Amino acid sequence: MHPPGRRTATILDRHAAQSRLDTIRSTVADLVASESARLATVLRESGDAVELWDRDARADHHRKQLSRFENAGGGLLFGHLGMRDDAEWYIGRMGLFDPETRDPLLVDWRAPLSRAFYTATPLHPENVSVRSTIGTRGWRVSSVVTEDLAAGGEGSTTGPSALMAAVSHHRTDRMSDIVATIQGEQDRIIRAGLRGALVVQGGPGTGKTAVALHRAAYVLYEHRDRLAREGVLIVGPNPDFLSYISEVLPSLGEDSVVLTSLHTLLPGVIAEGEDDRDVAEVKGRLDLAKAIENAVRRHEIAVRAPYVVTLESEQTVRIESRDLAALRTRMRRSRRSHNEARPVFERLFRELVARMLLSTAGRSVEVEVDQEDVEDFAEELQLDDRIAAAIDELWPIVSPEELVRGLLSDEKVLAACAPMLSDDDRALILRPAAAAWTASDIPLLDEAAALLGEDPRPGMRARARERAEQERELEYAQGVLDLYSDTTTDDDGTRASSVTAEQLAARQRQDDRGTVAERAEGEVGWTYGHVIVDEAQELTPLALRAVLRRCPSRSLTLVGDINQSSAAHGSDWDTLLRPQLRGYTREELTVNYRTPSEVMDLAARVLAHIDPTQTAPTSIRSTGEAPEIVRVPYDAMAAAIAERAEAYLSRSEGTVAVIADAELLPRLRSAVDGLPPGQSERMWFGSPRAAKGLEFDVVVLVEPGWRSERGVAESRELYVALTRATQRLSILHSTPLPPELTP
């Protein structure tokens, strides 16, 4: 018997799901054909210049629509809602309407109507009678898992839980989306408002990264008008991570997001390495921002004695130090960045020289120097190479790379610019000028770029060329309009168009700026409408400053686990964020979908050592297989790894990770020598720091007690390494185990 007033739920079967998927496939094919035809029609259009000015815009629209439909696949459909009022909705990765009836064939997963798919429960059904998760392979339905919510959760289910099936599936070298299995606490975070900073604290396996990516897709959908202009930036911990997540957003229908890591945050600069933890900690302090500022000021009229410049005419000008100091003060009060202030300095310096020369020439008759005469004389001095050399010496154009190299490679310069650091700290960050950039150098370079600004000279030349080109375009456009007005009139004899030559030239000018994402990636000063940082606990204070510089609105999503932080600054979120981010909202993910309970029980002992007040996230699954802890002679370590890797890879399509101290990895890589290519390609080698944010079916953790020092940072790295496995964990050691792992 059903409760009074409750309608009988219609259980979705595979036949009905397949029928809908067939309709979707047919509709998508029709849309591809129609958009192709429309694009071809637009591109064939001909006519006068005035009427065709919008052709490129319309063609671009049809190209985007065509690409959207061509990239659609069977995975478009993944859900179904049967409502108590007999309505039913199919949920998918994009919205789709029947072209003739305009009935919805598919509701976008981000639309408000879809939210009940993720949040409805038997206790709070949200008007849902039945909810079904649809699995597909290509354009064929492979499974339908149905929950009868109106029956209190005791109704029909077909097959295993969709969530359990998803989290138990083997891992690959690419992350997949979780759009079909988003859970309630994840959905709440994904759909949170755009205003302000949101911190998402989540332990291992809680889906932090997936939530961050789905939030990016959601905010672009919900706030398209704003974010389409400004873009969304996602900052990951390392390049491996970016490769791992690269396919998720396109699968969710979004390709307008910039993905980067600290290694590539600054356009034109790529960090090739990592500093040791103590070096990175010093470079990441906010004090270094002041050191960079001091280094910039060393390039701004640094002379203290009178400055003498001899012109090509052999006239000599002696500029007193007080005049130079007054000029420097005037320049700094202008609040322009160093390089962008250069044209102003050039003008003021030439006027100073001109005024002094004119004053000397007229001193005998005591006449006042006329400003117009000064400006005319200063313009003549533009051709004097010795004046140009003096300007280069007093206010040189400096690149961020040049400034930071000079600071970190010169002991005396570093001491003068960073007196707030101890001698030991300065010795730590001192490096050869030719050394490759590291990830912790990038915030220093970014700080320098912000204070220096860009060299204005290429831009000035480009603007001059652009003005000349615009003048040519305007002349051509006027000729077109003159011809058009001679041959085309309305019935009353008036001209058929009121378009001006300026408007026509602007319309015909090619816009080669590209998409928002393309422009943002190449522009140093670009600011975004929203910024998402994954593994945010790894941000140093100076790196956080670089992130905030890219988001003046402070619309941020910071995702991470403070207990996995590898640096001293990450003891808690307030310590990391409050000095620069006054307010933020905090959400917490509490359910571990990835790590089996057997592995998490072991990792929880390490977490207790890190912070006894912390509680590990609750694992929802168990493999029935306890972690393997085996003592192995060091010389036999590679063979032991190969044995375990071959046993798993020969019967599975999953992945195996070997995690060890970076010092040990070169020797351990010989474990793949005897494996077939298909198996060796599914093995990954890296340090705990490099493994952060990644997940693998099997993890072989080697020599966790290799380093004798045992601080909180080392325990956090051990916690990271232990929690990368989704199926099985093996710990191989020849040295004593850390106390937390000792039976």
Side-chain angles (χ1 to χ4, degrees):
M1 294 287 294
H2 296 300
R6 183 233 166 185
R7 296 175 184 267
T8 302
T10 300
I11 304 299
L12 181 73
D13 59 26
R14 288 179 63 168
H15 176 75
Q18 185 63 57
S19 176
R20 176 55 61 110
L21 187 57
D22 290 342
T23 301
I24 291 170
R25 181 179 189 179
S26 175
T27 301
V28 168
D30 290 344
L31 288 168
V32 168
S34 64
E35 286 297 330
S36 297
R38 289 170 182 164
L39 178 61
T41 299
V42 169
L43 293 177
R44 285 196 301 267
E45 287 181 0
S46 60
D48 61 78
V50 177
E51 293 172 345
L52 296 181
W53 66 269
D54 66 337
R55 183 181 65 178
D56 287 346
R58 288 185 286 121
D60 183 58
H61 168 75
H62 291 304
R63 285 192 189 97
K64 289 179 179 178
Q65 287 293 90
L66 181 60
S67 175
R68 178 171 174 253
F69 296 131
E70 284 181 333
N71 292 330
L76 276 179
L77 171 64
F78 62 79
H80 172 265
L81 290 175
M83 311 302 288
R84 292 189 176 208
D85 58 5
D86 286 342
E88 62 175 348
W89 308 105
Y90 286 85
I91 314 300
R93 285 173 168 78
M94 68 162 61
L96 196 64
F97 291 87
D98 185 301
E100 295 182 2
T101 67
R102 301 306 297 166
D103 291 335
L105 291 174
L106 205 56
V107 179
D108 194 298
W109 69 274
R110 295 164 290 192
L113 188 61
S114 299
R115 184 164 192 178
F117 182 77
Y118 302 112
T119 59
T121 67
L123 290 177
H124 303 284
E126 301 183 32
N127 201 38
V128 177
S129 288
V130 289
R131 171 176 54 203
S132 300
T133 302
I134 303 168
T136 59
R137 293 179 180 173
W139 290 101
R140 303 300 301 173
V141 172
S142 58
S143 65
V144 177
V145 179
T146 300
E147 299 169 84
D148 187 348
L149 299 182
E154 298 176 357
S156 171
T157 61
T158 57
S161 161
L163 173 62
M164 293 304 294
V167 298
S168 300
H169 195 265
H170 68 75
R171 266 47 184 175
T172 69
D173 62 351
R174 291 291 185 273
M175 184 182 184
S176 60
D177 65 68
I178 61 166
V179 68
T181 57
I182 292 170
Q183 300 301 292
E185 68 175 8
Q186 297 173 326
D187 183 78
R188 183 181 69 251
I189 293 168
I190 289 169
R191 297 174 189 265
L194 192 65
R195 180 174 295 181
L198 173 65
V199 174
V200 182
Q201 162 65 34
T206 54
K208 298 183 297 296
T209 298
V211 166
L213 296 177
H214 288 70
R215 176 157 171 74
Y218 174 76
V219 297
L220 280 165
Y221 173 88
E222 187 69 12
H223 306 278
R224 176 72 62 184
D225 290 345
R226 171 183 169 185
L227 297 182
R229 298 189 304 271
E230 300 174 336
V232 172
L233 176 68
I234 296 181
V235 182
N238 52 56
D240 283 348
F241 173 83
L242 298 181
S243 176
Y244 179 59
I245 68 171
S246 60
E247 296 179 6
V248 174
L249 283 167
S251 75
L252 297 174
E254 291 298 344
D255 58 2
S256 55
V257 177
V258 175
L259 298 177
T260 189
S261 68
L262 277 181
H263 300 72
T264 55
L265 184 66
L266 188 63
V269 182
I270 298 177
E272 299 177 359
E274 300 281 351
D275 282 319
D276 290 340
R277 187 188 301 118
D278 50 357
V279 175
E281 189 275 326
V282 175
K283 286 184 179 179
R285 296 178 191 171
L286 282 177
D287 286 343
L288 268 295
K290 183 62 178 178
I292 295 293
E293 181 184 348
N294 291 340
V296 171
R297 290 187 169 231
R298 286 173 61 87
H299 293 280
E300 296 176 348
I301 315 182
V303 297
R304 302 186 184 282
Y307 187 81
V308 177
V309 56
T310 301
L311 280 63
E312 290 182 337
S313 63
E314 301 304 328
Q315 293 175 285
T316 297
V317 177
R318 175 189 168 96
I319 305 174
E320 299 298 332
S321 56
R322 64 176 178 275
D323 294 324
L324 290 171
L327 179 55
R328 181 175 57 219
T329 299
R330 183 176 176 183
M331 291 298 301
R332 289 176 178 172
R333 284 177 177 171
S334 72
R335 299 194 177 278
R336 292 181 175 88
S337 61
H338 173 86
N339 289 336
E340 291 168 359
R342 168 64 179 259
V344 178
F345 176 77
E346 291 180 3
R347 176 177 60 81
L348 293 178
F349 183 75
R350 285 195 297 266
E351 288 184 1
L352 176 61
V353 172
R355 185 177 299 279
M356 296 185 70
L357 287 170
L358 289 172
S359 297
T360 301
R363 184 169 51 196
S364 58
V365 293
E366 296 183 355
V367 296
E368 185 176 342
V369 178
D370 184 74
Q371 178 61 25
E372 186 173 340
D373 292 338
V374 169
E375 292 174 359
D376 290 342
F377 195 1
E379 189 171 345
E380 293 178 19
L381 293 178
Q382 290 185 61
L383 303 176
D384 194 304
D385 289 340
R386 292 182 181 177
I387 289 289
I391 290 171
D392 281 338
E393 181 181 354
L394 293 172
W395 202 281
I397 294 291
V398 185
S399 71
E401 296 92 331
E402 180 184 0
L403 185 101
V404 175
R405 280 199 182 99
L407 176 66
L408 298 184
S409 64
D410 189 312
E411 187 176 356
K412 292 182 179 179
V413 172
L414 186 58
C417 294
M420 73 291 294
L421 298 182
S422 68
D423 292 344
D424 289 343
D425 286 343
R426 288 197 293 269
L428 272 176
I429 64 175
L430 201 63
R431 42 165 273 172
W437 298 117
T438 66
S440 49
D441 288 327
I442 298 299
L444 294 171
L445 290 164
D446 194 68
E447 191 71 27
L451 293 175
L452 290 170
E454 296 191 55
D455 183 346
R457 294 170 299 185
M460 293 168 66
R461 290 191 291 268
R463 286 191 292 275
R465 289 193 298 270
E466 184 178 356
R467 285 194 296 271
E469 181 63 24
Q470 288 175 359
E471 289 175 2
R472 286 192 293 270
E473 291 170 352
L474 184 61
E475 182 179 353
Y476 171 78
Q478 187 62 60
V480 170
L481 286 178
D482 290 343
L483 177 63
Y484 186 62
S485 63
D486 289 342
T487 59
T488 308
T489 60
D490 289 335
D491 292 339
D492 61 0
T494 61
R495 288 176 57 176
S497 174
S498 61
V499 177
T500 67
E502 290 82 359
Q503 290 170 326
L504 179 57
R507 289 169 178 174
Q508 293 300 312
R509 193 171 302 126
Q510 291 293 320
D511 184 358
D512 59 356
R513 294 178 297 171
T515 66
V516 170
E518 290 169 341
R519 283 182 282 143
E521 279 188 299
E523 188 172 319
V524 173
W526 189 274
T527 58
Y528 295 85
H530 191 73
V531 174
I532 296 173
V533 183
D534 197 17
E535 302 294 342
Q537 77 281 351
E538 295 305 304
L539 291 174
T540 63
L542 201 62
L544 175 61
R545 182 177 169 94
V547 168
L548 295 178
R549 185 176 289 121
R550 284 157 174 77
C551 192
S553 68
R554 299 300 189 261
S555 177
L556 306 160
T557 302
L558 306 176
V559 178
D561 180 7
I562 205 68
N563 298 308
Q564 296 183 56
S565 173
S566 59
H569 54 260
S571 57
D572 59 74
W573 288 113
D574 277 354
T575 300
L576 173 61
L577 302 177
R578 290 293 185 191
Q580 300 182 75
L581 194 60
R582 292 183 179 178
Y584 61 85
T585 302
R586 174 169 166 168
E587 294 281 358
E588 190 151 359
L589 295 168
T590 61
V591 180
N592 187 332
Y593 303 99
R594 178 185 68 211
T595 315
S597 58
E598 294 86 354
V599 174
M600 202 62 218
D601 288 345
L602 182 62
R605 289 156 53 180
V606 179
L607 179 59
H609 178 75
I610 296 170
D611 185 351
T613 67
Q614 294 291 316
T615 301
T618 303
S619 295
I620 65 168
R621 50 188 287 268
S622 170
T623 61
E625 193 168 340
E628 174 191 39
I629 301 178
V630 181
R631 193 176 190 102
V632 177
Y634 180 69
D635 291 342
M637 200 66 74
I641 293 170
E643 177 186 350
R644 285 156 177 80
E646 185 176 14
Y648 179 76
L649 296 173
S650 61
R651 58 181 175 80
S652 170
E653 297 179 356
T655 55
V656 174
V658 179
I659 301 179
D661 189 278
E663 183 181 338
L664 304 177
L665 289 172
R667 183 169 182 175
L668 300 179
R669 291 180 189 275
S670 64
V672 304
D673 291 347
L675 297 179
Q679 294 182 17
S680 61
E681 290 168 2
R682 288 184 281 129
M683 288 192 68
W684 182 90
F685 291 80
S687 67
R689 289 177 69 183
K692 202 161 290 186
L694 307 181
E695 56 186 44
F696 310 92
D697 293 276
V698 174
V699 168
V700 181
L701 176 57
V702 179
E703 300 286 20
W706 179 259
R707 292 191 178 274
S708 57
E709 64 269 20
R710 294 297 303 156
V712 171
E714 287 73 26
S715 293
R716 285 174 171 166
E717 290 193 352
L718 177 59
Y719 185 57
V720 170
L722 291 171
T723 54
R724 300 305 97 193
T726 66
Q727 301 293 336
R728 184 182 307 168
L729 172 66
S730 292
I731 299 175
L732 307 181
H733 68 103
S734 65
T735 55
L737 291 169
E740 308 95 280
L741 302 185
T742 303

